Amino acid sequence: MSKHDLRRIPVHIILVVVCLAWVYPFIWMLSTSFKNTREMFTSILTLIPSEPSWDNYERAWVSAKFGQYTVNTLLVSLAVATLVVLVSSLAGYALGRGSMPGKKVIIGILVATMFLPKGYTILPTYILINAIGLNNTLFGVILAEAGPAHIVAILLFTGYFANLPRELEEAAMMDGAGHWRIFWRIMLPLSKPVAATNFLFNFLNAWNAFLIPLVFTLGAPDLRTLGVGMYAFFGENAIDWTGLAAGGVIAVLPIIVVFLFLQRYFVEGIAGAVRG
């Protein structure tokens, strides 16, 4: 072993410790989801259940309706991520490739709106969704979640499109293509890395959303998403901690799997958007 490798050992040890501290809450939640209530309180630090059981998952999936909530969350997340990618890519193309007057001012205003808390915009959003008759519907949740300008997605597309060679558009225009055809046939296919990044980012946000799904499903409990469904384990006098742990695993595990499969596109999209 070389001296260089020996010097890296302390760094690796520190990284391993940090990694274990990072994943320990999820491991604890996974362990608790297989315990009964008595064992959870008597052996709270023990990670291996003495009598593992699937009862908590059955209770979460059936009694707490997590099966239906998972389907609702999947539909909402896919629709929101798709809409955000389509709208943000169009806005990013206009800002990144166009020569409209006041473009820098528009970008500055968009960046400024990032500092507005979502709670400030929930009331006008609710009034609008309710006025068009989509309150207490999944489509209303999707529009409320995807409707506001997603500034990060727009800026990522803007940076990516701005770095593409101008010769691509010039060659397409010489062949008689207009801006609409150039966008769909050339620019959007070339932006797959940043599109995948935005899709993943907004899919995760929609999957974990709480405020908007809560507000727009108050009158339709069956349309709740997983984030809102967690409240099923909170009673007036007690909390079903083991059922809550099982529900947490059901809610978190799918997005971990999705991120592990798509993390390469996430990194490539970020790198492509900020490059040169």
Side-chain angles (χ1 to χ4, degrees):
M1 183 177 294
S2 65
K3 292 183 179 180
H4 178 70
D5 293 334
L6 289 175
R7 286 196 296 266
R8 295 176 63 182
I9 290 178
V11 177
H12 289 165
I13 293 175
I14 294 174
L15 291 176
V16 169
V17 172
V18 171
C19 180
L20 290 176
W22 188 268
V23 302
Y24 178 79
F26 178 74
I27 296 175
W28 182 88
M29 182 175 66
L30 181 63
S31 171
T32 303
S33 67
F34 289 100
K35 297 179 179 179
N36 56 47
T37 303
R38 180 185 57 81
E39 184 181 2
M40 189 204 73
F41 284 108
T42 57
S43 305
I44 192 170
L45 297 179
T46 303
L47 294 180
I48 301 178
S50 59
E51 297 179 1
S53 172
W54 291 95
D55 291 344
N56 297 323
Y57 286 94
E58 182 180 357
R59 190 165 66 256
W61 192 260
V62 179
S63 301
K65 298 183 179 180
F66 264 52
Q68 181 62 45
Y69 296 162
T70 300
V71 174
N72 296 341
T73 307
L74 183 61
L75 292 174
V76 169
S77 301
L78 288 174
V80 167
T82 302
L83 284 175
V84 171
V85 168
L86 290 176
V87 174
S88 299
S89 61
L90 287 168
Y93 177 64
L95 293 172
R97 309 296 291 187
S99 56
M100 69 176 68
K103 181 170 64 175
K104 292 184 178 180
V105 176
I106 294 174
I107 294 177
I109 294 174
L110 289 175
V111 172
T113 60
M114 293 175 62
F115 300 96
L116 287 175
K118 185 171 286 188
Y120 284 16
T121 60
I122 188 67
L123 183 58
T125 302
Y126 177 83
I127 293 174
L128 177 60
I129 297 297
N130 191 57
I132 59 180
L134 293 177
N135 191 24
N136 294 318
T137 66
L138 282 182
F139 193 48
V141 176
I142 292 168
L143 287 182
E145 194 70 46
H150 291 260
I151 313 304
V152 175
I154 293 174
L155 294 179
L156 285 175
F157 273 112
T158 301
Y160 190 87
F161 287 136
N163 292 326
L164 293 178
R166 291 287 176 181
E167 291 77 9
L168 292 172
E169 284 175 309
E170 294 173 358
M173 287 180 178
M174 290 180 62
D175 292 336
H179 288 292
W180 188 251
R181 187 176 179 184
I182 291 172
F183 172 77
W184 285 108
R185 295 293 183 88
I186 299 175
M187 295 300 173
L188 190 59
L190 287 175
S191 67
K192 284 182 180 179
V194 72
T197 299
N198 279 315
F199 185 90
L200 177 60
F201 187 74
N202 287 282
F203 182 88
L204 297 180
N205 282 343
W207 188 279
N208 294 319
F210 174 77
L211 179 60
I212 286 180
L214 172 65
V215 171
F216 289 95
T217 60
L218 285 175
D222 290 339
L223 298 181
R224 290 174 177 171
T225 58
L226 288 170
V228 182
M230 290 291 179
Y231 268 91
F233 299 103
F234 290 83
E236 293 184 4
N237 302 313
I239 300 175
D240 184 1
W241 292 108
T242 55
L244 183 63
V249 173
I250 293 173
V252 171
L253 194 58
I255 60 174
I256 292 178
V257 174
V258 169
F259 183 79
L260 289 176
F261 276 102
L262 298 180
Q263 61 177 329
R264 178 172 64 89
Y265 299 100
F266 185 83
V267 175
E268 288 179 357
I270 294 293
V274 302
R275 187 172 54 240

Short mmCIF file of all heavy atoms in Angstrom, two decimals, residues 161-213:
data_model
loop_
_atom_site.label_atom_id
_atom_site.label_comp_id
_atom_site.label_asym_id
_atom_site.label_seq_id
_atom_site.Cartn_x
_atom_site.Cartn_y
_atom_site.Cartn_z
N PHE A 161 -29.98 25.48 -23.19
CA PHE A 161 -30.24 25.91 -24.56
C PHE A 161 -29.29 27.01 -25.00
O PHE A 161 -28.91 27.08 -26.17
CB PHE A 161 -31.69 26.38 -24.71
CG PHE A 161 -32.70 25.27 -24.69
CD1 PHE A 161 -33.86 25.38 -23.95
CD2 PHE A 161 -32.49 24.12 -25.42
CE1 PHE A 161 -34.80 24.35 -23.94
CE2 PHE A 161 -33.42 23.08 -25.42
CZ PHE A 161 -34.58 23.21 -24.68
N ALA A 162 -28.91 27.89 -24.07
CA ALA A 162 -28.02 29.00 -24.42
C ALA A 162 -26.64 28.51 -24.83
O ALA A 162 -25.93 29.21 -25.58
CB ALA A 162 -27.90 29.96 -23.23
N ASN A 163 -26.24 27.33 -24.38
CA ASN A 163 -24.91 26.80 -24.68
C ASN A 163 -24.86 25.95 -25.95
O ASN A 163 -23.78 25.54 -26.36
CB ASN A 163 -24.40 25.96 -23.49
CG ASN A 163 -24.11 26.81 -22.27
OD1 ASN A 163 -23.69 27.94 -22.39
ND2 ASN A 163 -24.36 26.26 -21.09
N LEU A 164 -26.01 25.70 -26.57
CA LEU A 164 -26.01 24.90 -27.80
C LEU A 164 -25.55 25.75 -28.98
O LEU A 164 -25.82 26.96 -29.02
CB LEU A 164 -27.42 24.35 -28.07
CG LEU A 164 -27.94 23.31 -27.06
CD1 LEU A 164 -29.36 22.90 -27.42
CD2 LEU A 164 -27.04 22.08 -27.01
N PRO A 165 -24.85 25.16 -29.94
CA PRO A 165 -24.33 25.93 -31.08
C PRO A 165 -25.45 26.57 -31.89
O PRO A 165 -26.49 25.96 -32.15
CB PRO A 165 -23.58 24.87 -31.91
CG PRO A 165 -23.31 23.75 -30.96
CD PRO A 165 -24.44 23.75 -29.98
N ARG A 166 -25.24 27.81 -32.33
CA ARG A 166 -26.20 28.52 -33.16
C ARG A 166 -26.35 27.88 -34.55
O ARG A 166 -27.37 28.06 -35.22
CB ARG A 166 -25.77 29.98 -33.32
CG ARG A 166 -25.88 30.80 -32.05
CD ARG A 166 -27.31 31.10 -31.72
NE ARG A 166 -27.45 31.82 -30.44
CZ ARG A 166 -28.60 32.19 -29.92
NH1 ARG A 166 -29.71 31.91 -30.57
NH2 ARG A 166 -28.65 32.81 -28.75
N GLU A 167 -25.31 27.17 -34.97
CA GLU A 167 -25.35 26.55 -36.30
C GLU A 167 -26.50 25.56 -36.44
O GLU A 167 -26.98 25.32 -37.56
CB GLU A 167 -24.03 25.86 -36.60
CG GLU A 167 -22.84 26.79 -36.81
CD GLU A 167 -22.29 27.35 -35.51
OE1 GLU A 167 -22.72 26.87 -34.43
OE2 GLU A 167 -21.44 28.25 -35.57
N LEU A 168 -26.93 24.97 -35.33
CA LEU A 168 -28.04 24.01 -35.39
C LEU A 168 -29.31 24.69 -35.90
O LEU A 168 -30.01 24.17 -36.78
CB LEU A 168 -28.28 23.42 -34.00
CG LEU A 168 -27.19 22.50 -33.44
CD1 LEU A 168 -27.48 22.15 -31.98
CD2 LEU A 168 -27.07 21.24 -34.27
N GLU A 169 -29.62 25.85 -35.35
CA GLU A 169 -30.82 26.57 -35.79
C GLU A 169 -30.66 27.11 -37.20
O GLU A 169 -31.60 27.06 -38.01
CB GLU A 169 -31.09 27.73 -34.82
CG GLU A 169 -31.69 27.29 -33.49
CD GLU A 169 -31.83 28.45 -32.53
OE1 GLU A 169 -30.85 29.16 -32.33
OE2 GLU A 169 -32.94 28.62 -32.00
N GLU A 170 -29.48 27.63 -37.49
CA GLU A 170 -29.27 28.20 -38.82
C GLU A 170 -29.43 27.14 -39.91
O GLU A 170 -30.04 27.40 -40.95
CB GLU A 170 -27.87 28.83 -38.88
CG GLU A 170 -27.72 30.04 -37.96
CD GLU A 170 -26.30 30.54 -37.90
OE1 GLU A 170 -25.42 29.91 -38.55
OE2 GLU A 170 -26.03 31.55 -37.22
N ALA A 171 -28.88 25.94 -39.66
CA ALA A 171 -29.01 24.87 -40.65
C ALA A 171 -30.47 24.45 -40.81
O ALA A 171 -30.94 24.20 -41.93
CB ALA A 171 -28.15 23.68 -40.23
N ALA A 172 -31.20 24.39 -39.68
CA ALA A 172 -32.62 24.00 -39.74
C ALA A 172 -33.45 25.06 -40.46
O ALA A 172 -34.36 24.74 -41.24
CB ALA A 172 -33.15 23.77 -38.33
N MET A 173 -33.14 26.33 -40.23
CA MET A 173 -33.89 27.40 -40.89
C MET A 173 -33.63 27.41 -42.39
O MET A 173 -34.53 27.72 -43.18
CB MET A 173 -33.52 28.75 -40.28
CG MET A 173 -34.08 28.97 -38.88
SD MET A 173 -33.63 30.58 -38.18
CE MET A 173 -34.51 30.50 -36.61
N MET A 174 -32.42 27.06 -42.79
CA MET A 174 -32.11 26.99 -44.22
C MET A 174 -32.92 25.88 -44.90
O MET A 174 -33.21 25.94 -46.09
CB MET A 174 -30.61 26.74 -44.42
CG MET A 174 -29.74 27.93 -44.04
SD MET A 174 -27.98 27.61 -44.30
CE MET A 174 -27.94 27.35 -46.08
N ASP A 175 -33.30 24.85 -44.10
CA ASP A 175 -34.13 23.77 -44.63
C ASP A 175 -35.61 24.08 -44.53
O ASP A 175 -36.44 23.23 -44.84
CB ASP A 175 -33.83 22.47 -43.87
CG ASP A 175 -32.43 21.94 -44.17
OD1 ASP A 175 -31.90 22.28 -45.25
OD2 ASP A 175 -31.88 21.19 -43.33
N GLY A 176 -35.93 25.29 -44.08
CA GLY A 176 -37.33 25.71 -44.03
C GLY A 176 -38.04 25.46 -42.72
O GLY A 176 -39.26 25.61 -42.64
N ALA A 177 -37.33 25.08 -41.67
CA ALA A 177 -37.96 24.81 -40.37
C ALA A 177 -38.18 26.10 -39.60
O ALA A 177 -37.32 27.00 -39.62
CB ALA A 177 -37.09 23.85 -39.55
N GLY A 178 -39.31 26.18 -38.92
CA GLY A 178 -39.59 27.33 -38.06
C GLY A 178 -39.18 27.04 -36.63
O GLY A 178 -38.68 25.96 -36.31
N HIS A 179 -39.39 28.03 -35.76
CA HIS A 179 -38.96 27.88 -34.36
C HIS A 179 -39.68 26.69 -33.67
O HIS A 179 -39.08 25.97 -32.88
CB HIS A 179 -39.23 29.16 -33.59
CG HIS A 179 -38.29 30.27 -33.95
ND1 HIS A 179 -36.95 30.25 -33.65
CD2 HIS A 179 -38.51 31.44 -34.61
CE1 HIS A 179 -36.38 31.35 -34.09
NE2 HIS A 179 -37.30 32.09 -34.68
N TRP A 180 -40.97 26.52 -33.97
CA TRP A 180 -41.73 25.44 -33.34
C TRP A 180 -41.17 24.08 -33.72
O TRP A 180 -40.97 23.22 -32.87
CB TRP A 180 -43.19 25.56 -33.74
CG TRP A 180 -44.11 24.62 -33.01
CD1 TRP A 180 -44.75 23.54 -33.51
CD2 TRP A 180 -44.50 24.71 -31.63
NE1 TRP A 180 -45.51 22.92 -32.54
CE2 TRP A 180 -45.37 23.62 -31.37
CE3 TRP A 180 -44.20 25.58 -30.59
CZ2 TRP A 180 -45.94 23.40 -30.13
CZ3 TRP A 180 -44.77 25.35 -29.34
CH2 TRP A 180 -45.63 24.29 -29.12
N ARG A 181 -40.89 23.91 -35.01
CA ARG A 181 -40.34 22.63 -35.47
C ARG A 181 -38.92 22.43 -34.96
O ARG A 181 -38.53 21.32 -34.61
CB ARG A 181 -40.37 22.59 -36.99
CG ARG A 181 -39.96 21.24 -37.57
CD ARG A 181 -40.12 21.24 -39.08
NE ARG A 181 -39.73 19.96 -39.66
CZ ARG A 181 -39.69 19.71 -40.95
NH1 ARG A 181 -40.05 20.67 -41.81
NH2 ARG A 181 -39.33 18.54 -41.40
N ILE A 182 -38.13 23.51 -34.92
CA ILE A 182 -36.76 23.41 -34.40
C ILE A 182 -36.77 22.96 -32.94
O ILE A 182 -35.97 22.13 -32.52
CB ILE A 182 -36.04 24.77 -34.54
CG1 ILE A 182 -35.79 25.07 -36.02
CG2 ILE A 182 -34.72 24.77 -33.78
CD1 ILE A 182 -35.25 26.47 -36.27
N PHE A 183 -37.72 23.51 -32.19
CA PHE A 183 -37.79 23.14 -30.77
C PHE A 183 -38.11 21.66 -30.60
O PHE A 183 -37.43 20.95 -29.85
CB PHE A 183 -38.85 23.99 -30.06
CG PHE A 183 -39.13 23.55 -28.65
CD1 PHE A 183 -38.24 23.86 -27.63
CD2 PHE A 183 -40.27 22.83 -28.35
CE1 PHE A 183 -38.49 23.43 -26.32
CE2 PHE A 183 -40.54 22.41 -27.05
CZ PHE A 183 -39.64 22.71 -26.04
N TRP A 184 -39.16 21.18 -31.29
CA TRP A 184 -39.61 19.80 -31.09
C TRP A 184 -38.67 18.77 -31.72
O TRP A 184 -38.48 17.69 -31.16
CB TRP A 184 -41.01 19.61 -31.66
CG TRP A 184 -42.08 20.22 -30.81
CD1 TRP A 184 -42.81 21.34 -31.08
CD2 TRP A 184 -42.52 19.76 -29.52
NE1 TRP A 184 -43.68 21.61 -30.05
CE2 TRP A 184 -43.53 20.66 -29.08
CE3 TRP A 184 -42.17 18.70 -28.70
CZ2 TRP A 184 -44.18 20.52 -27.86
CZ3 TRP A 184 -42.83 18.54 -27.49
CH2 TRP A 184 -43.82 19.44 -27.08
N ARG A 185 -38.10 19.10 -32.85
CA ARG A 185 -37.29 18.12 -33.59
C ARG A 185 -35.80 18.16 -33.22
O ARG A 185 -35.11 17.14 -33.36
CB ARG A 185 -37.44 18.37 -35.10
CG ARG A 185 -38.85 18.12 -35.63
CD ARG A 185 -39.23 16.65 -35.54
NE ARG A 185 -40.53 16.40 -36.12
CZ ARG A 185 -40.73 16.13 -37.41
NH1 ARG A 185 -39.70 16.09 -38.25
NH2 ARG A 185 -41.95 15.90 -37.86
N ILE A 186 -35.31 19.31 -32.76
CA ILE A 186 -33.87 19.44 -32.51
C ILE A 186 -33.57 19.75 -31.05
O ILE A 186 -32.85 19.00 -30.37
CB ILE A 186 -33.26 20.54 -33.42
CG1 ILE A 186 -33.46 20.17 -34.90
CG2 ILE A 186 -31.77 20.72 -33.12
CD1 ILE A 186 -33.01 21.24 -35.86
N MET A 187 -34.10 20.86 -30.55
CA MET A 187 -33.71 21.33 -29.23
C MET A 187 -34.18 20.42 -28.09
O MET A 187 -33.40 20.08 -27.20
CB MET A 187 -34.26 22.76 -29.01
CG MET A 187 -33.64 23.77 -29.94
SD MET A 187 -31.84 23.86 -29.71
CE MET A 187 -31.40 24.94 -31.06
N LEU A 188 -35.45 20.05 -28.12
CA LEU A 188 -35.96 19.21 -27.03
C LEU A 188 -35.27 17.84 -26.99
O LEU A 188 -34.90 17.38 -25.90
CB LEU A 188 -37.48 19.05 -27.14
CG LEU A 188 -38.17 18.39 -25.94
CD1 LEU A 188 -37.90 19.19 -24.67
CD2 LEU A 188 -39.66 18.28 -26.18
N PRO A 189 -35.07 17.14 -28.13
CA PRO A 189 -34.33 15.87 -28.07
C PRO A 189 -32.90 16.04 -27.56
O PRO A 189 -32.39 15.16 -26.85
CB PRO A 189 -34.34 15.39 -29.53
CG PRO A 189 -35.57 16.00 -30.12
CD PRO A 189 -35.67 17.35 -29.48
N LEU A 190 -32.25 17.16 -27.89
CA LEU A 190 -30.88 17.39 -27.41
C LEU A 190 -30.84 17.67 -25.91
O LEU A 190 -29.79 17.50 -25.29
CB LEU A 190 -30.25 18.55 -28.17
CG LEU A 190 -29.85 18.29 -29.63
CD1 LEU A 190 -29.34 19.58 -30.28
CD2 LEU A 190 -28.79 17.19 -29.71
N SER A 191 -31.96 18.10 -25.36
CA SER A 191 -31.98 18.47 -23.94
C SER A 191 -32.42 17.33 -23.04
O SER A 191 -32.88 17.57 -21.91
CB SER A 191 -32.93 19.67 -23.73
OG SER A 191 -34.28 19.30 -23.97
N LYS A 192 -32.28 16.09 -23.50
CA LYS A 192 -32.71 14.95 -22.69
C LYS A 192 -32.07 14.92 -21.30
O LYS A 192 -32.75 14.62 -20.32
CB LYS A 192 -32.42 13.65 -23.44
CG LYS A 192 -33.40 13.36 -24.57
CD LYS A 192 -33.08 12.03 -25.24
CE LYS A 192 -34.08 11.75 -26.36
NZ LYS A 192 -33.77 10.47 -27.06
N PRO A 193 -30.76 15.21 -21.16
CA PRO A 193 -30.18 15.17 -19.80
C PRO A 193 -30.84 16.16 -18.84
O PRO A 193 -31.20 15.80 -17.71
CB PRO A 193 -28.70 15.51 -20.04
CG PRO A 193 -28.45 15.11 -21.44
CD PRO A 193 -29.72 15.41 -22.18
N VAL A 194 -31.00 17.41 -19.29
CA VAL A 194 -31.60 18.41 -18.40
C VAL A 194 -33.10 18.16 -18.24
O VAL A 194 -33.68 18.44 -17.19
CB VAL A 194 -31.32 19.84 -18.92
CG1 VAL A 194 -32.13 20.15 -20.16
CG2 VAL A 194 -31.61 20.86 -17.84
N ALA A 195 -33.75 17.60 -19.27
CA ALA A 195 -35.16 17.24 -19.14
C ALA A 195 -35.35 16.13 -18.11
O ALA A 195 -36.28 16.17 -17.30
CB ALA A 195 -35.72 16.80 -20.50
N ALA A 196 -34.45 15.14 -18.14
CA ALA A 196 -34.50 14.07 -17.14
C ALA A 196 -34.25 14.60 -15.75
O ALA A 196 -34.89 14.17 -14.78
CB ALA A 196 -33.49 12.98 -17.49
N THR A 197 -33.33 15.56 -15.63
CA THR A 197 -33.05 16.18 -14.33
C THR A 197 -34.29 16.88 -13.79
O THR A 197 -34.67 16.70 -12.62
CB THR A 197 -31.90 17.18 -14.44
OG1 THR A 197 -30.72 16.49 -14.86
CG2 THR A 197 -31.63 17.86 -13.11
N ASN A 198 -34.91 17.68 -14.63
CA ASN A 198 -36.11 18.40 -14.21
C ASN A 198 -37.27 17.46 -13.91
O ASN A 198 -38.04 17.68 -12.96
CB ASN A 198 -36.54 19.40 -15.29
CG ASN A 198 -35.73 20.68 -15.23
OD1 ASN A 198 -35.50 21.23 -14.17
ND2 ASN A 198 -35.28 21.15 -16.38
N PHE A 199 -37.40 16.41 -14.72
CA PHE A 199 -38.47 15.43 -14.48
C PHE A 199 -38.28 14.77 -13.11
O PHE A 199 -39.22 14.66 -12.32
CB PHE A 199 -38.48 14.38 -15.57
CG PHE A 199 -39.63 13.40 -15.47
CD1 PHE A 199 -40.83 13.67 -16.10
CD2 PHE A 199 -39.50 12.23 -14.73
CE1 PHE A 199 -41.90 12.78 -15.99
CE2 PHE A 199 -40.56 11.35 -14.62
CZ PHE A 199 -41.76 11.63 -15.25
N LEU A 200 -37.06 14.32 -12.84
CA LEU A 200 -36.78 13.66 -11.57
C LEU A 200 -36.98 14.61 -10.40
O LEU A 200 -37.61 14.27 -9.40
CB LEU A 200 -35.35 13.12 -11.58
CG LEU A 200 -34.85 12.46 -10.29
CD1 LEU A 200 -35.73 11.27 -9.93
CD2 LEU A 200 -33.41 12.03 -10.44
N PHE A 201 -36.46 15.83 -10.53
CA PHE A 201 -36.55 16.82 -9.46
C PHE A 201 -38.01 17.13 -9.12
O PHE A 201 -38.40 17.15 -7.95
CB PHE A 201 -35.81 18.08 -9.88
CG PHE A 201 -35.68 19.11 -8.80
CD1 PHE A 201 -34.80 18.93 -7.75
CD2 PHE A 201 -36.45 20.27 -8.83
CE1 PHE A 201 -34.68 19.88 -6.75
CE2 PHE A 201 -36.34 21.21 -7.84
CZ PHE A 201 -35.45 21.03 -6.79
N ASN A 202 -38.82 17.36 -10.14
CA ASN A 202 -40.22 17.71 -9.90
C ASN A 202 -41.07 16.49 -9.53
O ASN A 202 -42.07 16.63 -8.83
CB ASN A 202 -40.79 18.39 -11.16
CG ASN A 202 -40.27 19.80 -11.32
OD1 ASN A 202 -40.70 20.73 -10.65
ND2 ASN A 202 -39.30 19.96 -12.22
N PHE A 203 -40.67 15.31 -10.00
CA PHE A 203 -41.35 14.08 -9.57
C PHE A 203 -41.18 13.89 -8.07
O PHE A 203 -42.14 13.58 -7.35
CB PHE A 203 -40.79 12.89 -10.33
CG PHE A 203 -41.45 11.58 -10.00
CD1 PHE A 203 -42.58 11.16 -10.69
CD2 PHE A 203 -40.96 10.77 -8.99
CE1 PHE A 203 -43.20 9.95 -10.38
CE2 PHE A 203 -41.57 9.56 -8.68
CZ PHE A 203 -42.69 9.16 -9.37
N LEU A 204 -39.95 14.09 -7.59
CA LEU A 204 -39.69 13.95 -6.15
C LEU A 204 -40.44 15.00 -5.35
O LEU A 204 -41.00 14.71 -4.28
CB LEU A 204 -38.19 14.05 -5.88
CG LEU A 204 -37.30 12.97 -6.50
CD1 LEU A 204 -35.84 13.20 -6.15
CD2 LEU A 204 -37.73 11.58 -6.04
N ASN A 205 -40.45 16.24 -5.85
CA ASN A 205 -41.18 17.30 -5.14
C ASN A 205 -42.67 17.00 -5.06
O ASN A 205 -43.30 17.19 -4.02
CB ASN A 205 -40.94 18.64 -5.84
CG ASN A 205 -39.60 19.24 -5.50
OD1 ASN A 205 -38.95 18.85 -4.54
ND2 ASN A 205 -39.15 20.18 -6.32
N ALA A 206 -43.25 16.55 -6.18
CA ALA A 206 -44.68 16.25 -6.19
C ALA A 206 -44.99 15.04 -5.32
O ALA A 206 -46.03 14.98 -4.66
CB ALA A 206 -45.14 16.00 -7.63
N TRP A 207 -44.08 14.06 -5.31
CA TRP A 207 -44.29 12.86 -4.48
C TRP A 207 -44.31 13.22 -2.99
O TRP A 207 -45.09 12.67 -2.21
CB TRP A 207 -43.19 11.85 -4.76
CG TRP A 207 -43.41 10.52 -4.12
CD1 TRP A 207 -43.14 10.17 -2.82
CD2 TRP A 207 -43.96 9.33 -4.72
NE1 TRP A 207 -43.47 8.86 -2.58
CE2 TRP A 207 -43.98 8.33 -3.73
CE3 TRP A 207 -44.41 9.03 -6.00
CZ2 TRP A 207 -44.44 7.04 -3.99
CZ3 TRP A 207 -44.88 7.76 -6.26
CH2 TRP A 207 -44.89 6.77 -5.26
N ASN A 208 -43.46 14.17 -2.59
CA ASN A 208 -43.34 14.54 -1.19
C ASN A 208 -44.24 15.72 -0.81
O ASN A 208 -44.19 16.16 0.34
CB ASN A 208 -41.89 14.91 -0.86
CG ASN A 208 -40.96 13.72 -0.98
OD1 ASN A 208 -41.30 12.62 -0.57
ND2 ASN A 208 -39.77 13.93 -1.53
N ALA A 209 -45.01 16.25 -1.76
CA ALA A 209 -45.82 17.44 -1.49
C ALA A 209 -46.84 17.19 -0.38
O ALA A 209 -47.38 16.08 -0.26
CB ALA A 209 -46.53 17.89 -2.77
N PHE A 210 -47.11 18.22 0.38
CA PHE A 210 -48.07 18.09 1.48
C PHE A 210 -49.15 19.18 1.44
O PHE A 210 -50.34 18.89 1.45
CB PHE A 210 -47.36 18.14 2.82
CG PHE A 210 -48.30 18.16 4.00
CD1 PHE A 210 -48.93 17.00 4.42
CD2 PHE A 210 -48.56 19.34 4.67
CE1 PHE A 210 -49.82 17.01 5.49
CE2 PHE A 210 -49.44 19.37 5.74
CZ PHE A 210 -50.07 18.21 6.15
N LEU A 211 -48.72 20.46 1.36
CA LEU A 211 -49.67 21.55 1.52
C LEU A 211 -50.74 21.56 0.43
O LEU A 211 -51.94 21.60 0.72
CB LEU A 211 -48.92 22.89 1.51
CG LEU A 211 -49.80 24.15 1.65
CD1 LEU A 211 -50.58 24.11 2.96
CD2 LEU A 211 -48.94 25.41 1.57
N ILE A 212 -50.33 21.53 -0.84
CA ILE A 212 -51.30 21.59 -1.94
C ILE A 212 -52.22 20.37 -1.96
O ILE A 212 -53.44 20.51 -2.07
CB ILE A 212 -50.58 21.80 -3.28
CG1 ILE A 212 -50.07 23.25 -3.36
CG2 ILE A 212 -51.50 21.50 -4.47
CD1 ILE A 212 -49.33 23.58 -4.63
N PRO A 213 -51.70 19.14 -1.87
CA PRO A 213 -52.62 17.99 -1.82
C PRO A 213 -53.57 18.03 -0.63
O PRO A 213 -54.72 17.60 -0.73
CB PRO A 213 -51.68 16.78 -1.73
CG PRO A 213 -50.41 17.25 -2.35
CD PRO A 213 -50.29 18.69 -1.96
#
